[in-house]
């Protein structure tokens, strides 16, 4: 399984970006897909996740501004980011875990995910 993120870039505060996470190789439709972000020198943190049924969850800093969706036919998961703030600046990663990861009490635990993309930079000024 290979995950490839794209769509990062630079945007002014208040703007929008849409990240894509293309999945290559066999990926179960019931897998848990998470989005994470990391600022250099800081721990990687959860942004949101989507489970095999398409149900999403988000962390408080992004709730109401970010939206995760998927296109099953294209084997791609998206992260729509609106009302961006400078504090959203980070490298964004997608990750794949078993469906059980989504139902863990702490779905943002990095250890629950066994495949990671290379990351894409998002800069908000």
């Amino acid at each position: 399984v290979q995950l490839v993120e794209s769509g990062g870039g630079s945007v002014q505060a208040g703007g929008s970006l849409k990240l894509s996470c293309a999945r290559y190789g066999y990926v179960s439709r019931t897998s848990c897909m998470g989005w994470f972000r990391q600022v250099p020198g800081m721990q990687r943190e959860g942004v949101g996740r989507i489970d095999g049924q398409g149900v999403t969850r988000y962390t408080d800093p992004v709730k109401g501004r970010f939206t995760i969706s998927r296109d099953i036919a294209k084997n791609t998961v998206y992260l729509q980011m609106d009302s961006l703030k400078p504090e959203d600046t980070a490298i964004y990663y997608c990750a794949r875990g078993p469906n059980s990861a989504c139902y863990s009490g702490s779905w943002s635990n990095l250890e629950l995910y066994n495949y990671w993309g290379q990351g894409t930079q998002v800069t908000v000024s």
Side-chain angles (χ1 to χ4, degrees), residues 1 3 21 23 27-36 48-57 68 70 77 94-104 106-110 112-116:
V1 174
L3 304 178
C21 173
R23 305 183 294 180
V27 179
S28 170
R29 291 186 178 184
T30 59
S31 60
C32 179
M33 295 298 299
W35 281 98
F36 296 79
R49 63 75 164 158
I50 184 167
D51 68 14
Q53 286 69 49
V55 177
T56 56
R57 294 286 186 270
I68 297 174
R70 64 181 182 174
V77 177
C94 65
R96 182 269 180 196
N99 204 36
S100 59
C102 276
Y103 304 113
S104 164
S106 56
W107 62 262
S108 59
N109 182 346
L110 307 184
L112 297 176
Y113 298 83
N114 46 6
Y115 295 100
W116 291 83

Side-chain angles (χ1 to χ4, degrees), residues 30-81:
T30 59
S31 60
C32 179
M33 295 298 299
W35 281 98
F36 296 79
R37 64 187 183 185
Q38 187 171 23
V39 175
M42 308 268 301
Q43 285 191 333
R44 193 170 297 187
E45 64 177 11
V47 172
R49 63 75 164 158
I50 184 167
D51 68 14
Q53 286 69 49
V55 177
T56 56
R57 294 286 186 270
Y58 304 91
T59 53
D60 286 343
V62 308
K63 202 172 293 183
R65 300 187 298 121
F66 289 12
T67 305
I68 297 174
S69 61
R70 64 181 182 174
D71 185 327
I72 294 176
K74 294 184 178 180
N75 222 6
T76 299
V77 177
Y78 304 96
L79 178 65
Q80 175 68 44
M81 305 185 293

